[in-house]
Structures are given as C-alpha cells and as structure tokens.
Amino acid sequence: MYSTTAKASTQLLVSKRATAQLSRLAYGHTRTALRCPSNAAPALNATYSLVHHHVPRAGRYFSSTARTNLKDFFPPPDAPHVQKTDAAWPHPMQVPPHQACFQWPYTEQQMKDITVAHRDTKNWSDWVALSMVRLLRWGTDLATFYRHDEEVAKGLKGANDAVNNQRYTMTERKWLIRFIFLESVAGVPGMVGGMLRHLHSLRRMKRDNGWIETLLEEAYNERMHLLTFLKMAEPGWFMKFMILGAQGVFFNGMFLSYLVSPRTCHRFVGYLEEEAVLTYTRAIADIEAGKLPKWQKLEAPAIAIRYWKMPEGRRTMKDLLLYIRADEAKHREVNHTLGNLAQKEDPNPFVSQYIDPSKPRPGKGIDNIRSTGWERNEVI
C-alpha cells in the first residue's frame, strides 16, 4: 500500500513539473507573439522552434583528455523548479525571443568578408601598444607550441603550400589548447576597462557616455568563446596553472596601465584582436585545406548554437570559427576606434544615434565594419 502511494505521489509530482514547464513555454510563446507584428508571429514561432527544439544534446566532441576522465565543467545546477537559465547578456546582434522579434547575428557573406588587417602606428602610444602585443604573442606562441604562415592567413597562398614551411604542424588538439589559452586571457581587458570606468563614473558623479556597457559586453562575449571551447576539451593541470599565472599578471598589468593611459590600452587590445583574427583565419584555412579531418563534419557544441543562434546547415566547426572570428574583428574595430577618442569626454559611437542616418556609422553589427577603426572626425 505504501509503495503504491509513493509511486502515485511521484507520478503526480512529475506531472506537475511537466505541466509547469509547458505553461512557462506557452507563456513565453504568447509574450513573443504579442510583442511582434501579427504577420511575423508564425515565422518567429517557426524559427524559435527550429533553434530551441532541434539543438543537439550538449557533449564533448573532441577532447585532449581520456574519455574515462572527462567531466562537464559546468553541468546543469541542481534546481528541480528551474526549467533553464538564459544568458544574462545575449550576443550583441541578437535580441532574445522573449523580448522582441530577433535577428540572426551575422550573415554568412559578412563573416566570409572578414579579412586580416593591421593599423600602422602613428605615435609613441601606438608603438608601445604594438610592442607589448608582439611580446605577448611571442610568449603565447611559445606556451602553446604554435607557429603559422601569415601568407596563408592573408590568402596569398593555400594552406597545403605551407606544410613544408611550418616548424610545427597544428592539429585539432593544438588548436584547442591555443584557443582556450587565448580566450581565457582575452576576457580580461574589457572587464578591467569597464570596472575602472564604472568606478570613475561613481567618483566623478558623471555619466560615462555608454563606454561601460560595450566594454563589459566584450568581456562577456570573450568568456562565451572560452565556454564553447571548454565543451570540446578539458585542459590539464599544466594548462590550468599557466592560465592562472597569465591571468594574474595580465589583470594587474591592465589595471595599472588603464589608470595611466586608457588610450594605449584600447590600442593594445585593438592590436591583440588583429592577432586573434589572424589566428582564426589560419585555423579556418587549415579546415578548408583538409588538414584537420576531425573538424570537417564536427558539429558545434549546443552552447554555441544557442548563443549565436546558428541556423540548420551552418553548425559545423568551420561555421563556429567564422562566428568567433567575426566577433574578434568587431572587437578589433571597437578598440581601435575607442583608442582614437577623447577618453573622458567623447560618447561611445557604437551605441549612439546620429542625426544623419544615411551615412555609414559605427554600430553593433559588421555591415559597416572598419578593420582599423573609425577616426574621431568621422564619428564625433
């Protein structure tokens, strides 16, 4: 009698949970339909269903760790009353479906049009920033056993032509090690800059004119890159130790440098993002040349599909790197532009509304992207 009652109670509890989940889902669809135009609601529901009901199960598709030792770095929390927790900060080009009619982050052609670029140094501040990036690049290459052929990344020759010229051949495992190390450091500058500008605004009791949001948004975006790669490989204790040391040194260095010269720090990040675009371009070239066979048909992790709203048919590893490269190119443009502005007076042009919308202006998208940044007289 007791077991029958317990079984019935368990079934009732499961039924209540399922009913609550269905109610929340229906409520979300209803809010979306009410906020969107009537003719857009069916298409939105179809797209929402495509993205959220056909996302593959999260898992590790490639790892440098033995299968018996794998563990999920961020498993779902033990919260039976919570259906899911959305990202507090969605992708910059994505509006959550429960808020409004959303759009795809980038078009395929826009991502393919991203190119390697370099901004020439114009003063001592630029020279210091570029020198520090080159020093950091040398240390990172040494730590991750990385070499690349710049002519391949720039499209001057094919990836297969670089095999005999490369000192080290990059494999899937080596690429992941490099990506994880780079992204664990890349999320630091935006957080440091946003934090210091936030405190500065509090001390001066004045507005920051939109810089804080963009900098924190950049830091969050870089962290999402890291979380995506952690779904594919688990770093060992040596890599974790290196990341710990690099983050400690880099954070304190950025903190002190931003207090002294914010302009130099933004130029530094702009040059750093130039290297990131170069690295991801090189990896994409390796995939296209067939040098990374495990990534030819590998599907991106579910966390990436949800974050970038990757459509059906464009969820391969190559597509994932195209999205990430586009993000890095945007960070390159943003920081080179911020490095051209008056740090305490000028508003953030990437969140500003202009009187004449017919002229090309900075924005959150990459349709009007400037690889070397916008000059001050163009935006202010």
Side-chain angles (χ1 to χ4, degrees):
M1 180 66 180
Y2 176 79
S3 60
T4 304
T5 305
K7 182 177 181 181
S9 300
T10 303
Q11 292 177 346
L12 179 60
L13 178 60
V14 172
S15 176
K16 287 182 177 180
R17 289 178 182 173
T19 303
Q21 291 176 359
L22 290 174
S23 299
R24 286 194 294 269
L25 182 61
Y27 176 67
H29 278 289
T30 303
R31 291 182 64 190
T32 302
L34 288 175
R35 294 192 179 201
C36 293
S38 59
N39 59 349
L44 174 65
N45 289 334
T47 308
Y48 182 86
S49 176
L50 170 67
V51 172
H52 288 272
H53 297 288
H54 296 280
V55 173
R57 179 177 59 86
R60 297 179 182 272
Y61 302 95
F62 173 82
S63 177
S64 58
T65 308
R67 182 175 295 276
T68 55
N69 297 329
L70 282 176
K71 62 180 180 180
D72 199 335
F73 268 32
F74 32 96
D78 184 15
H81 298 291
V82 177
Q83 180 184 6
K84 70 171 184 174
T85 303
D86 291 326
W89 215 312
H91 190 273
M93 280 296 291
Q94 167 200 320
V95 181
H98 65 272
Q99 292 183 4
C101 297
F102 64 90
Q103 56 186 336
W104 299 115
Y106 309 128
T107 66
E108 184 176 8
Q109 190 58 47
Q110 286 176 342
M111 293 189 293
K112 289 182 177 180
D113 289 341
I114 297 296
T115 57
V116 174
H118 173 66
R119 179 186 176 91
D120 295 330
T121 56
K122 298 182 178 180
N123 49 50
W124 71 269
S125 177
D126 293 355
W127 183 85
V128 170
L130 181 59
S131 299
M132 293 304 298
V133 167
R134 287 176 175 172
L135 178 62
L136 181 63
R137 173 64 186 271
W138 175 83
T140 304
D141 290 351
L142 184 65
T144 58
F145 306 101
Y146 173 80
R147 295 290 187 276
H148 74 217
D149 191 324
E150 293 191 11
E151 292 186 358
V152 175
K154 294 178 180 179
L156 301 179
K157 63 181 179 181
N160 286 327
D161 299 331
V163 174
N164 296 328
N165 297 329
Q166 278 191 288
R167 183 177 179 184
Y168 301 120
T169 300
M170 295 297 291
T171 64
E172 294 90 345
R173 178 179 178 275
K174 288 182 178 180
W175 276 120
L176 281 177
I177 290 175
R178 181 170 180 80
F179 293 159
I180 290 174
F181 187 83
L182 289 178
E183 297 299 348
S184 67
V185 175
V188 172
M191 181 59 64
V192 172
M195 175 188 68
L196 288 177
R197 295 192 72 93
H198 171 74
L199 297 176
H200 190 249
S201 176
L202 295 178
R203 289 196 307 271
R204 298 177 66 207
M205 298 184 183
K206 292 183 179 181
R207 288 192 57 191
D208 185 67
N209 293 321
W211 288 50
I212 296 174
E213 268 190 329
T214 295
L215 294 176
L216 295 182
E217 189 176 65
E218 175 186 312
Y220 185 91
N221 179 253
E222 297 286 9
R223 190 178 69 92
M224 288 303 298
H225 295 174
L226 175 63
L227 296 181
T228 296
F229 291 128
L230 286 177
K231 279 294 185 180
M232 303 175 65
E234 178 183 338
W237 65 268
F238 180 70
M239 175 60 71
K240 293 177 182 178
F241 178 77
M242 286 177 38
I243 291 174
L244 179 63
Q247 187 180 90
V249 173
F250 193 49
F251 176 88
N252 287 284
M254 281 295 300
F255 181 86
L256 296 175
S257 300
Y258 207 91
L259 290 176
V260 175
S261 178
R263 183 191 303 274
T264 303
C265 289
H266 286 298
R267 186 71 71 218
F268 168 85
V269 178
Y271 285 133
L272 192 65
E273 297 296 353
E274 290 181 2
E275 297 293 339
V277 172
L278 184 65
T279 295
Y280 285 112
T281 302
R282 183 66 177 86
I284 293 170
D286 279 359
I287 295 177
E288 293 176 341
K291 296 171 63 177
L292 304 174
K294 294 180 181 179
W295 286 358
Q296 288 297 325
K297 296 183 179 180
L298 178 66
E299 192 167 66
I303 187 175
I305 295 174
R306 294 191 183 99
Y307 179 64
W308 281 282
K309 291 293 184 289
M310 300 172 70
E312 289 280 0
R314 284 171 48 197
R315 295 177 175 179
T316 65
M317 189 63 185
K318 176 185 172 182
D319 294 317
L320 173 62
L321 296 186
L322 285 172
Y323 277 101
I324 294 178
R325 186 181 67 170
D327 287 344
E328 305 293 5
K330 189 62 186 180
H331 300 161
R332 176 183 63 185
E333 176 199 29
V334 168
N335 282 279
H336 275 320
T337 302
L338 296 182
N340 295 333
L341 305 182
Q343 303 296 298
K344 294 183 180 180
E345 294 83 17
D346 290 344
N348 179 6
F350 294 93
V351 295
S352 300
Q353 296 182 3
Y354 290 88
I355 298 176
D356 186 2
S358 62
K359 296 181 180 180
R361 300 292 187 184
K364 289 195 172 185
I366 59 175
D367 46 342
N368 293 324
I369 193 169
R370 294 279 184 90
S371 300
T372 57
W374 299 74
E375 299 299 329
R376 186 173 186 270
N377 59 3
E378 294 178 306
V379 295
I380 303 298

